[in-house]
Amino acid sequence: MAPYEVLYGRKCRTPLCWTKVSEAKFVGPELLRQTEEKVKIIKERLKATTDRQKSYADLRRKDIEFTVGDKVFDPSHVIPAETIDAQSDLTYEEEPVKILAREMKELRNKKIPLVKVLWRNHKVEEAT
């Protein structure tokens, strides 16, 4: 199934397949000729759109020139990475650091404890 069909629940109708219900379907060389014409139109429109976007981007593009001695990167922005003890198969052990939140979820007269855990080598946003 195509992604479009999964998302919208119906088949994607491209310009190549648009026909009226009352029309008789073309067979053979005529169908091939029409399909080639539609593909040609699609390619021309895509090229025109690409050219228009390129000309718009080119107007705003500036060439950057550097000379010897120019500072192009400030080392104070470098963030030191923590070392991770990786095994030979490039896996590592996840270790919990602390519990950030606790909650009791009630489902059909059952209480389920939920905890949000901060893991070693992960940011707070990545807590699960």
Side-chain angles (χ1 to χ4, degrees), residues 5-18:
E5 192 174 344
V6 172
L7 185 60
Y8 295 106
R10 59 185 160 86
K11 294 220 181 267
C12 178
R13 292 183 55 187
T14 65
L16 300 175
C17 301
W18 287 352

Side-chain angles (χ1 to χ4, degrees), residues 66-82:
F66 299 106
T67 59
V68 176
D70 286 349
K71 293 186 178 184
V72 295
F73 184 74
D74 188 347
S76 68
H77 292 289
V78 176
I79 300 171
E82 294 182 28

Side-chain angles (χ1 to χ4, degrees), residues 41-82:
I41 291 169
I42 291 168
K43 285 183 178 180
E44 288 171 356
R45 289 184 182 170
L46 283 172
K47 179 154 178 29
T49 301
T50 304
D51 291 345
R52 185 172 48 248
Q53 290 172 345
K54 183 183 180 321
S55 66
Y56 180 80
D58 287 346
L59 291 173
R60 284 150 182 77
R61 185 169 290 129
K62 296 177 188 170
D63 289 333
I64 301 173
E65 294 182 14
F66 299 106
T67 59
V68 176
D70 286 349
K71 293 186 178 184
V72 295
F73 184 74
D74 188 347
S76 68
H77 292 289
V78 176
I79 300 171
E82 294 182 28

Side-chain angles (χ1 to χ4, degrees), residues 60-110:
R60 284 150 182 77
R61 185 169 290 129
K62 296 177 188 170
D63 289 333
I64 301 173
E65 294 182 14
F66 299 106
T67 59
V68 176
D70 286 349
K71 293 186 178 184
V72 295
F73 184 74
D74 188 347
S76 68
H77 292 289
V78 176
I79 300 171
E82 294 182 28
T83 58
I84 298 175
D85 298 328
Q87 287 136 14
S88 61
D89 60 353
L90 299 178
T91 60
Y92 63 94
E93 288 287 323
E94 291 281 7
E95 294 178 20
V97 175
K98 72 178 189 178
I99 295 175
L100 298 176
R102 293 176 186 265
E103 184 182 331
M104 289 297 282
K105 188 102 173 180
E106 191 169 331
L107 297 172
R108 295 186 185 174
N109 299 327
K110 273 185 168 179

